[in-house]
Amino acid sequence: MGASTQPAPLNAQQLHDVAGLDQVRRPTRGPLPTWTRTFQMTLGVLRGTLERNKDNVWRARLLTDKAATPIPLRVKLSKIYIPRRKDVLPEGMSERDAEGVVKGEWVDWDRVPNEKVASERVILYVHGGAYFICSRKTHRGITYRLAKYAKARLLAIDYRLAPEATFPVPLNDIISCYLFLIDPPPHTGAPKYRPEQVTFMGDSAGGALALSSLLWLRDHGKQYPMPGCAALISPWMDLTHSMPSWRLNNQYDYLPDGSNDPKYINKERSHYYVPHNSFLDHPLVSPLFAKEDPQRPLPPLLIQIGDAEKLRDECIAFTEHKFPNSPIRLELYEDQVHVFHMFATFNSISTCALKRMGQFTLDMVAHYTNNANDHDAPPPPVDHAVLRIANSKNHPATPIIDPLRIIDDAKNVLMARNQWIGRKSTGKPAMSRSESVFVVDPDYVNYDLEVAKELDNLAIAGGQVKP
């Protein structure tokens, strides 16, 4: 990763000592040692759902458009419509693309005495869904918990989805919502927040959109202030799929290798979010290709990923190779998959991660509040660090001394299996978009045949819905 010479391969014990993650001795397929039966079954059902519906946008949306996560009765939801800003136009957009409003909802765990007065903290949350499915409603299981643990108001938004809205259109929605928080139109009566009171959050594609919005704000720093901090869940940093974990962790994670609806996908366009493959390595599409700017640093970032997820290595590379001097805390959660936070109902490490995100927001905003009148105040207390959180009692955190070794080790494993194309430093995983090394197998997840049959009838584990 950027060095002139590649480090020598390590044996299994050395890898464990250096990186806190033994990929050589890890099972070649799930279940992983710390998975419960419930967790294992849930992953199988989720993987089956995505695999069976990934090649038809209409059918995939049929499963998510009407879905809404149940929430406790005490949670208050309030609809809001936010006008798009025509003065915020990422390159490639016109004023016509910025017409209309963004639908959203306030998510409140605690009672809000006066909604026209700014609370102490506010979260802007951008949902995931591979840029083309899901909504603020599907992610309420995450958003209400974050509002609870951060003791904050949370604004969850529905940005425009691909393939109808491609890059950079969704960025306008997110930046418009952020500016609505810090500079609301007077006629709305909305509260005005200071930038340092705002935390950007998002998961998967939403995490990437939140990060890309930060990068856009950074590059337009004379016009727009940065938010106080950001906390991202499994952000999708690399749409080129160049990192080894995209292949190596395919046997554990539930993410499909790609979506191939022939109505939209062809040789020149391999993803719904971009109009053409030439955009895949654009730094606002794939933040892994962004560059650090010492003169205009990013705000403090918390990034949480599973160490068994396909997007693991791109987040490590972003943190350690592309932004090594930025205030980023990267947390790898043992044996966890993509956006494992959604399993908080039955997975204690998911709750742990959400609580850590909440505490991060509390700490950052408290720092800004305590030093509001001190122009010589020290920066927020975020040291650049990579931690591994154990999936065991109390979930202890251990520093990872050399995180880039994890990527090197993953490449070594793939090379030994003849699953890496080209040189170690410049190659890529040996997988085409139409190939999947994971076969949906009911025996793999060991759920009862009766349950499998019922799920099949619901078009979740094998059946299909006719258009």
Side-chain angles (χ1 to χ4, degrees):
M1 298 301 299
S4 58
T5 59
Q6 295 292 338
L10 305 179
N11 62 43
Q13 185 59 45
Q14 287 175 316
L15 284 167
H16 182 79
D17 291 342
V18 172
L21 174 61
D22 188 344
Q23 298 178 89
V24 173
R25 295 180 180 175
R26 194 175 227 177
T28 55
R29 65 181 302 179
L32 291 176
T34 66
W35 289 5
T36 64
R37 177 179 172 83
T38 302
F39 187 79
Q40 179 185 353
M41 182 181 107
T42 302
L43 290 186
V45 173
L46 183 56
R47 184 64 180 257
T49 304
L50 297 176
E51 285 285 346
R52 290 294 190 264
N53 297 283
K54 68 178 184 178
D55 296 336
N56 186 301
V57 171
W58 180 88
R59 195 166 61 236
R61 286 180 173 172
L62 185 67
L63 295 172
T64 60
D65 280 356
K66 303 300 181 182
T69 306
I71 57 175
L73 291 176
R74 68 168 289 170
V75 177
K76 182 181 178 182
L77 303 175
S78 308
K79 290 184 180 180
I80 185 172
Y81 298 90
I82 299 172
R84 297 189 177 103
R85 298 275 295 247
K86 293 186 177 181
D87 58 335
V88 179
L89 298 174
E91 185 178 358
M93 283 190 65
S94 66
E95 288 191 7
R96 185 176 181 179
D97 295 324
E99 295 177 349
V101 297
V102 181
K103 295 181 181 179
E105 66 184 19
W106 285 108
V107 182
D108 292 303
W109 175 262
D110 296 314
R111 189 177 70 86
V112 180
N114 187 345
E115 295 186 359
K116 294 186 177 182
V117 176
S119 60
E120 188 174 351
R121 290 166 292 277
V122 63
I123 295 169
L124 176 60
Y125 193 89
V126 189
H127 71 80
Y131 294 100
F132 75 99
I133 57 173
C134 296
S135 69
R136 70 188 191 277
K137 297 179 182 179
T138 58
H139 284 61
R140 285 173 179 164
I142 291 177
T143 56
Y144 93 76
R145 288 181 170 92
L146 289 172
K148 174 183 178 180
Y149 298 139
K151 299 179 181 179
R153 299 202 75 191
L154 186 146
L155 175 61
I157 63 171
D158 283 337
Y159 56 90
R160 285 169 283 183
L161 298 176
E164 294 83 2
T166 58
F167 170 80
V169 170
L171 292 178
N172 172 263
D173 291 349
I174 296 155
I175 298 169
S176 293
C177 291
Y178 170 57
L179 296 180
F180 179 84
L181 291 174
I182 65 173
D183 186 24
H187 70 275
T188 64
K192 182 176 182 178
Y193 289 88
R194 301 188 308 275
E196 61 269 21
Q197 292 177 290
V198 181
T199 300
F200 276 20
M201 289 191 182
D203 67 277
S204 192
L209 284 170
L211 180 55
S212 296
S213 298
L214 288 178
L215 292 168
W216 190 90
L217 290 167
R218 178 197 68 176
D219 297 338
H220 295 78
K222 293 182 179 180
Q223 298 172 265
Y224 308 105
M226 284 281 202
C229 60
L232 310 177
I233 300 171
S234 301
W236 197 353
M237 300 271 197
D238 178 19
L239 267 64
T240 71
H241 303 158
S242 64
M243 292 284 104
S245 61
W246 183 259
R247 173 70 187 247
L248 186 62
N249 286 344
N250 201 54
Q251 53 263 42
Y252 318 121
D253 209 349
Y254 60 82
L255 286 180
D257 300 319
S259 299
N260 299 295
D261 191 329
K263 185 177 179 180
Y264 305 101
I265 301 301
N266 51 57
K267 292 182 179 180
E268 286 74 37
R269 184 188 185 189
S270 60
H271 198 284
Y272 303 133
Y273 181 51
V274 295
H276 189 273
N277 284 342
S278 60
F279 288 90
L280 289 175
D281 61 355
H282 191 293
L284 296 183
V285 172
S286 296
L288 179 61
F289 298 94
K291 295 181 180 179
E292 193 171 42
D293 183 357
Q295 302 303 317
R296 181 67 176 167
L298 294 177
L301 289 179
L302 171 65
I303 302 175
Q304 295 182 337
I305 57 176
D307 70 18
E309 74 165 281
K310 295 172 70 169
L311 308 189
R312 180 196 66 196
D313 291 350
E314 56 204 66
C315 293
I316 295 174
F318 176 87
T319 302
E320 292 295 283
H321 180 59
K322 301 305 293 287
F323 283 74
N325 301 306
S326 297
I328 303 176
R329 182 189 305 158
L330 175 63
E331 297 180 348
L332 280 71
Y333 286 75
E334 181 184 6
D335 292 348
Q336 298 305 295
V337 296
H338 186 64
V339 194
F340 61 95
H341 306 63
M342 74 175 81
F343 308 123
T345 302
F346 56 84
N347 194 34
S348 65
I349 198 171
S350 302
T351 301
C352 168
L354 291 166
K355 287 182 176 179
R356 291 177 71 94
M357 291 184 72
Q359 191 60 51
F360 177 81
T361 299
L362 287 165
D363 292 344
M364 293 302 101
V365 176
H367 172 85
Y368 291 124
T369 301
N370 295 336
N371 296 279
N373 299 318
D374 185 357
H375 298 292
D376 297 321
V382 177
D383 295 327
H384 188 98
V386 180
L387 307 175
R388 189 169 190 238
I389 315 300
N391 193 8
S392 59
K393 185 177 180 180
N394 298 325
H395 306 296
T398 304
I400 297 178
I401 304 303
D402 187 1
L404 292 177
R405 284 283 189 181
I406 295 175
I407 301 177
D408 288 328
D409 174 45
K411 290 181 181 179
N412 286 337
V413 173
L414 290 181
M415 292 176 74
R417 298 176 183 173
N418 294 318
Q419 295 174 347
W420 186 260
I421 299 175
R423 299 176 61 184
K424 180 178 177 181
S425 59
T426 59
K428 61 180 182 180
M431 181 187 298
S432 69
R433 291 186 60 82
S434 60
E435 174 193 6
S436 175
V437 300
F438 185 102
V439 178
V440 180
D441 179 3
D443 293 333
Y444 164 64
V445 291
N446 292 322
Y447 52 82
D448 296 337
L449 292 178
E450 182 179 348
V451 176
K453 182 178 179 180
E454 181 63 24
L455 291 172
D456 188 76
N457 293 335
L458 293 173
I460 290 179
Q464 296 183 352
V465 179
K466 294 183 180 180

